[in-house]
Amino acid sequence: MPAAPDLTTEPRPVYVIGGGPGGLAAAAALRARGVRAVVVEKSGSVGASWRGHYDRLRLHTTRRLSGLPGLAMPRRFGRWVSRDNVVRYLEKYAEHHELELVTGVEVTRIERAADDAGWVLYATGGRELAAGAVVVATGYNHTPALPDWPGADAFPGELLHAGGYRNAAPYAGRDVLVVGIGNTGAEIAVDLAEGGAARVRLAVRTVPHIVRRSTAGWPAQRSGILVRRLPVRLVDRISALQARVAVPDLSAYGLPRPDTGLYSRVGQGAIPVQDVGLIAAVRSGAVEPVAAVASFEGSEVVLADGSRITPDAVVAATGYRRALEGLVGHLGVLDGRGRPVVHGARTDPAAPGLYFTGFTNPISGMFREMARDAEKIAKALARSARH
């Protein structure tokens, strides 16, 4: 890694908070336009979130459509890039672009500078960093969100968030309940079934849309790119027709077809589940869909339909919080759900020079959209620097 820069160097640089793909992409795009950017990462290395994901994870977007500005992903990584290769790519990316990177420093609060000409970042160790502009890229998967289920504290079995799951080895021969049927929950359930768990159940609150990752060589991501600007109702109708052709009816197994449109769901923040073995696992009985979790009573898990089960372990694939409130919540730039009101190259009129990237999960691909955001943010900042 490049040597840590002098954080007091003038003129005020652009500070990028977060050393994941969004932050690195923004820093590289800024550097390419002659704008000094310093990446501040609270962990000891880039790609911390990716390092912590489960072992079998691969990008659900293709290698060719997932590269960040200025460096393509190597062909040897294959079409669907593994977690470990994503980490290798991010390390190489920071090195290739000679990014100014500071690790082990956490920015805890951002305030407008007294002269109203920039920002002050308050960080660990009593640091106060003067910034001309700030790009917040702390990540979509920042803080694990574990529901406050009644009785969960007294559950004698193992209860963990999916962020703590690595592989199926510790669960061989055990009865496991996975809660949540997003992409993470679906893939962990398949991993457990293939890895020797005695029984795998998958608690479903809202039936998901399931899509094939690739059909006849055509990746779902390309469809997502093509339809992204089309009317929601039209995309809902197209996707419903496509699902009836490509995805079998799993109603008999406890997974009926959704009664709301795919793109309507995307607008609510729920992206489709890409099939990486779930359909086959459900049809074979290796993964059993059950009702949502309502509460815990001793060793029993009470489901929403009133049934009770006694798993040895519960893996909660219940999502993450952005956890931006402490950092920028006082600036009025978050909506009621804690998400940035503006994104990409736009800044809030009340907070000029404060940018956000990587806080959406688009069907066109998160890496692709972060790369596009990076170029737009860099263009906007380079333009403002000339004025």
Side-chain angles (χ1 to χ4, degrees):
M1 292 293 180
D6 177 2
L7 299 185
T8 63
T9 301
E10 292 293 344
R12 295 172 179 171
V14 175
Y15 276 97
V16 179
I17 306 174
L24 298 180
L30 285 163
R31 181 180 173 85
R33 290 181 176 270
V35 178
R36 182 174 176 234
V38 179
V39 179
V40 183
E41 164 58 43
K42 70 175 183 179
S43 74
S45 55
V46 300
S49 177
W50 273 90
R51 294 174 193 274
H53 287 315
Y54 50 94
D55 294 349
R56 72 175 282 156
L57 177 64
R58 290 179 177 272
L59 279 176
H60 290 162
T61 54
T62 66
R63 169 185 54 79
R64 291 184 64 183
L65 295 175
S66 300
L68 302 178
L71 185 68
M73 288 189 172
R75 177 173 290 185
R76 68 177 184 278
F77 285 177
R79 193 179 200 197
W80 310 105
V81 182
S82 70
R83 178 203 63 184
D84 289 349
N85 279 336
V86 169
V87 172
R88 291 186 182 98
Y89 172 69
L90 296 178
E91 291 174 337
K92 180 64 177 178
Y93 191 84
E95 178 185 341
H96 174 80
H97 288 291
E98 299 181 331
L99 300 182
E100 293 190 55
L101 180 65
V102 179
T103 59
V105 174
E106 181 178 8
V107 177
T108 56
R109 189 175 178 87
I110 301 172
E111 295 279 9
R112 195 74 178 144
D115 61 5
D116 216 33
W119 297 90
V120 178
L121 281 57
Y122 295 89
T124 50
R127 296 174 177 86
E128 295 185 13
L129 312 177
V134 181
V135 179
V136 180
T138 49
Y140 189 83
N141 295 336
H142 186 276
T143 301
L146 195 64
D148 187 20
W149 288 305
D153 290 346
F155 179 60
E158 182 180 357
L159 171 60
L160 77 157
H161 188 272
Y165 177 89
R166 292 296 172 267
N167 56 60
Y171 304 96
R174 300 172 71 188
D175 184 328
V176 187
L177 171 67
V178 180
V179 184
I181 193 172
N183 278 294
T184 297
E187 191 159 1
I188 287 176
V190 172
D191 193 47
L192 286 163
E194 294 178 352
R199 187 173 190 179
V200 180
R201 282 172 283 206
L202 182 57
V204 181
R205 182 177 62 180
T206 303
V207 179
H209 286 272
I210 302 174
V211 299
R212 300 288 188 182
R213 184 168 66 173
S214 179
T215 303
W218 178 267
Q221 181 189 8
R222 286 200 178 275
S223 296
I225 293 170
L226 289 175
V227 305
R228 195 171 181 207
R229 304 300 180 189
L230 295 179
V232 172
R233 288 186 180 181
L234 175 60
V235 180
D236 282 348
R237 288 198 294 269
I238 293 171
S239 60
L241 291 172
Q242 186 180 42
R244 292 190 179 279
V245 173
V247 179
D249 186 356
L250 300 174
S251 299
Y253 305 93
L255 280 181
R257 294 192 187 277
D259 56 8
T260 53
L262 182 151
Y263 208 30
S264 295
R265 287 269 193 92
V266 170
Q268 299 165 3
I271 64 170
V273 171
Q274 289 200 10
D275 178 41
V276 289
L278 179 66
I279 292 173
V282 168
R283 295 179 82 179
S284 70
V287 172
E288 308 166 48
V290 297
V293 171
S295 63
F296 289 70
E297 290 185 13
S299 61
E300 293 184 324
V301 178
V302 183
L303 303 180
D305 61 3
S307 61
R308 294 167 179 260
I309 60 177
T310 54
D312 301 314
V314 177
V315 180
T318 47
Y320 293 80
R321 293 185 296 106
R322 310 304 153 252
L324 291 168
E325 290 80 3
L327 187 68
V328 296
H330 56 289
L331 299 173
V333 294
L334 304 179
D335 66 15
R337 296 172 60 184
R339 302 171 304 182
V341 175
V342 296
H343 202 267
R346 294 187 300 133
T347 61
D348 192 289
L354 179 62
Y355 299 84
F356 295 87
T357 183
F359 294 98
T360 61
N361 196 7
I363 59 174
S364 50
M366 185 177 284
F367 270 56
R368 178 179 182 271
E369 295 306 321
M370 287 189 292
R372 290 163 63 88
D373 274 354
E375 298 284 15
K376 293 173 183 177
I377 291 170
K379 184 178 180 180
L381 281 169
R383 187 189 307 118
S384 65
R386 290 194 297 267
H387 294 159

